[in-house]
Each structure stands twice: as structure tokens, then as C-alpha cells.
Amino acid sequence: MELQHLRVFREVAKELSFTRAARNLHCAQSTVTGQIKSLEASLNATLFLRRGRCPIELTEAGVVLQARAEQILQVVDTTSREVRGAAAPRRAPAWRGTGGRPGLLLRA
């Protein structure tokens, strides 16, 4: 299971449509379908009921994954923000001279 698979799954589950999910993700429908098939194969589970042109539905396994995928992706997004924030270079305070009085500095 890969994060990209979970992101695609989340969008398909939200839209209940491979076409709308593909449009929202700015990719081809075949890419979305391939990602879902790959995810289903890795989990050895069917996640959606497909009935031709009728709307798709989540299976019981799909409902379980939908809840977990949302949690996983929230943790990943939060962790990424926290790590980027911790890795951001810290700026030293800027000091400026007053120009008129030697030895007096002001903190900016």
C-alpha cells in the first residue's frame, strides 16, 4: 500500500465515481482505475462494487479503509508540516546600529 494509492482511494470514495475522481486529481481515469486495482491487489480485497455504468459503492472493506485512510493521510500531512517547520532555518535576530551613538545597538 502506498500513500498515493490512499489519496486516490480517498477521492474515489468521496466522489463514488472514477471519472470525477480523475478530474479532481487532474489525471486520466485509467490512472485512477490502475491505482485502485493495485491497491485492491495489495490488500487482497475488493474495495468498490462496480456495476457497469451505475454508480459505484464501497464494500465493507472499502468502508473500513475509508476511515483508516483518512486518519493515515491526516497523520502524514501533519507530520510533514511539523518536520518541515523543525527543519526550517532559524534566523538570528537582526541587530542595527543607531548611527548616532557608538556602541548602542537596537534589536529589530
Side-chain angles (χ1 to χ4, degrees):
M1 183 180 343
E2 297 179 20
L3 290 176
Q4 185 59 27
H5 290 152
L6 292 178
R7 288 184 177 103
V8 170
F9 170 81
R10 176 177 58 184
E11 194 63 30
V12 175
K14 180 180 93 176
E15 294 293 338
L16 293 177
S17 166
F18 288 92
T19 303
R20 286 191 302 269
R23 185 173 44 240
N24 294 347
L25 295 167
H26 307 288
C27 64
Q29 181 178 339
S30 60
T31 301
V32 169
T33 302
Q35 294 273 329
I36 295 300
K37 284 182 179 180
S38 178
L39 179 59
E40 288 177 324
S42 73
L43 294 172
N44 196 29
T46 300
L47 302 171
F48 296 98
L49 295 175
R50 301 163 177 91
R51 298 186 182 113
R53 294 203 169 267
C54 295
I56 61 174
E57 295 177 37
L58 284 167
T59 63
E60 188 174 336
V63 171
V64 170
L65 182 60
Q66 185 179 30
R68 291 294 188 189
E70 195 59 46
Q71 292 171 345
I72 291 165
L73 293 171
Q74 285 178 357
V75 168
V76 167
D77 291 344
T78 300
T79 302
S80 294
R81 278 193 307 276
E82 289 173 356
V83 169
R84 280 193 303 272
R90 302 279 187 226
R91 288 186 178 201
W95 296 92
R96 289 186 243 154
T98 62
R101 297 177 58 192
L104 182 61
L105 298 175
L106 298 176
R107 191 173 190 177

